[in-house]
DNA sequence: TTGTAAGCGTTATCAT
DNA sequence: ATGATAACGCTTACAA
């Protein structure tokens, strides 16, 4: 290609990779030629030879859910910044697709995989163990796992919600969880329950409704939990969407928020600030999680998984008080 | 690799690519070997030689906006179905990033680019013209362009909103648009205005508020349009988010929806059905748009851009009537 | 039907 | 400091 400008292909490669073993003289010559032919190195061929491409895979269960579209956007940002390109896999919560896609990634020799697993049932790790591709688990981890990961302190999130409600005087509360096959949902619930337990209040099992993070399951939860005779004064939902569904059902039943029932959500999606009344919620630091995940995977690539000092990054949730919670003392 | 099982690499390649010039006998032999070593072809090396990889790029302005996260999800679905992998670029509405990313795609020799441009100002086409990579413009096209595209009939969407409101008896209406530098916003507005004009009603320029598709600009629009003395009875917002912002501001001012003012949105995002009252809106067939875009780009890859019969696919919007519009006759 | 060898666009090694 | 040349993992003429 650009060697039609005096030198050998090797030298061109050196110029492009800023090898310092090249004269200023020839460097300029090559750079001119490059500009003239408008030459662009082929990124994939590069990866082929040097055994290290510029591709990093991101695996998420559902792009259209707010939390994950944040992951997609923010991870992409950080990767681009670091000079990588992102290849995205949407598993739709299906372990088969998950496995298939990860297989694809391996076959592309990606430099790393950032992985938000479908559920605790994910089998995909078996495949990954046989390679030495750097991997970081994002958001959905298992407690006992040794794999590097970046997660929220979900137990603390539960305690935070509980402490806010308890502080406002609520003694009779309920909890709407995500799918309990996802371990972070169990952790959140434990945090919530434990806090109340420490205060001498045992939340009955019937007051924990298992939803699926979506709007409709929030509505269902309200239907199930708020019966005539129920004395619940507050609820924590493990996603804002469920919280909003809960509110909608309540408003239909002519309950007033927060006067009759206080509600806390989780995630702090845009919607939370838009609705009326605006939702009190627990914010997850999505952007920071993605930044850390990218940092970690780059580090892992450089040092090897074994030599990683801090393989486990745990970030803190933050309480955002708006208008759906109210003191009842 | 797997040629340690009797044959030559060429034969292995033939087996894997289902070349029919191979004996059932050796085929079985090779397949066994492949299974034994758990051999996986390198997808990128493949693309290098055969000049046709399995990668297709998707360029969107903002992953976190609902419409675009639909594009991401649905396009990925269709691509996976067709045996491709998607590489995603989030341009954040920045022509520079757009250009840079498209450059990257070209340098990876992707088999195609599906492209939802930043705005009419996008310079990226200049780069693309110099290659013969198949390209399909999704959603945001320019009227006079010859590039293959898949778009909504935005003019018709405007007419649809207008005809619904006119049919309900609304004679004094306003319109909240997206950024007018995006041509589809202008088309939508024209459709809306033209319909009313044909009925003998000229909508004054001051009654068209230019927003940016987001919630806040809907609030601003309401603040601007609904002054004391204004006799507007209905509004069309070019995005559901703006419609919801509009509603929120109205509710704050103690206007009743739809009794005092009818509202029509656009997109039919999940939120529309969640809020109270549920939003009447114009639905875009996002899934279908993505399917068509993938079909088109595959066809373009096969036939060449010149031999494409139908380069321009225009899909129809659909009115979804809910609770924010009401007859005033 | 199968093997041999060339080639895709890079980088890495080894002379020079 | 630079040039040949091999190599990366695959596909594809062409020859056998």
């Amino acid at each position: 290609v650009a060697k039609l400008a005096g030198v050998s292909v090797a030298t061109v490669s050196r110029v492009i990779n800023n090898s310092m073993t090249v004269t200023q003289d020839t460097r300029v010559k090559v750079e001119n030629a490059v500009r003239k032919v408008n030459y662009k190195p082929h990124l994939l061929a590069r990866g082929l030879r040097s055994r290290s491409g510029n591709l990093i895979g991101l695996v998420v269960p559902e792009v259209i859910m707010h939390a994950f579209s944040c992951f997609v956007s923010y991870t992409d940002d950080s990767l681009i910044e670091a000079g990588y390109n992102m290849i995205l896999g949407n598993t739709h919560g299906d372990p088969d697709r998950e496995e298939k896609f990860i297989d694809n990634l391996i076959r592309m020799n990606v430099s790393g995989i950032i992985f938000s697993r479908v559920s605790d049932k994910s089998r995909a790790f078996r495949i990954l163990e046989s390679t030495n591709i750097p991997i970081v688990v994002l958001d959905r981890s298992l407690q006992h796992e040794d794999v590097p990961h970046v997660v929220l302190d979900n137990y603390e999130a539960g305690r935070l919600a509980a402490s806010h409600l308890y502080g406002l005087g609520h003694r009779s509360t309920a909890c709407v969880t995500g799918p309990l096959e996802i371990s972070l949902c169990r952790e959140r619930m434990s945090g919530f329950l434990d806090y109340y337990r420490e205060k001498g209040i045992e939340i009955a099992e019937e007051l924990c409704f298992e939803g699926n993070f979506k709007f409709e399951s929030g509505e269902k939860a309200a239907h199930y939990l708020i019966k005539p005779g129920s004395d619940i004064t507050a609820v924590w939902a493990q996603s804002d969407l469920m919280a909003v569904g809960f509110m909608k059902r309540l408003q239909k039943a002519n309950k007033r928020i927060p006067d009759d029932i206080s509600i806390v959500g989780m995630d702090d999606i845009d919607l939370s600030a838009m609705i009326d009344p605006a939702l009190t919620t627990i914010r997850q630091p999505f952007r920071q999680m993605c930044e850390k995940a990218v940092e970690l995977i780059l580090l892992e690539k450089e040092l090897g998984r074994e030599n990683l000092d801090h393989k486990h990054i745990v970030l803190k949730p933050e309480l955002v008080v708006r208008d759906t919670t109210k003191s009842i003392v």
Side-chain angles (χ1 to χ4, degrees), chain A residues 193-224:
Chain A
L193 265 39
D194 284 0
Y195 186 93
Y196 268 99
R197 187 172 295 127
E198 288 166 18
K199 298 296 182 182
I201 295 170
E202 197 71 34
I203 295 178
E205 206 176 317
E206 314 88 70
L207 296 181
C208 292
F209 181 92
E210 179 178 359
N212 65 356
F213 287 136
K214 305 210 177 138
F215 179 80
E216 291 78 16
S217 73
E219 288 183 297
K220 274 188 206 144
H223 181 71
Y224 167 83

Side-chain angles (χ1 to χ4, degrees), chain A residues 54-75:
Chain A
N54 69 117
L55 252 31
I56 286 197
L58 174 67
V59 188
V60 295
E62 198 56 75
V63 170
I64 297 182
M65 284 176 68
H66 179 82
F68 295 118
S69 67
C70 285
F71 286 164
V72 172
S73 183
Y74 300 150
T75 302

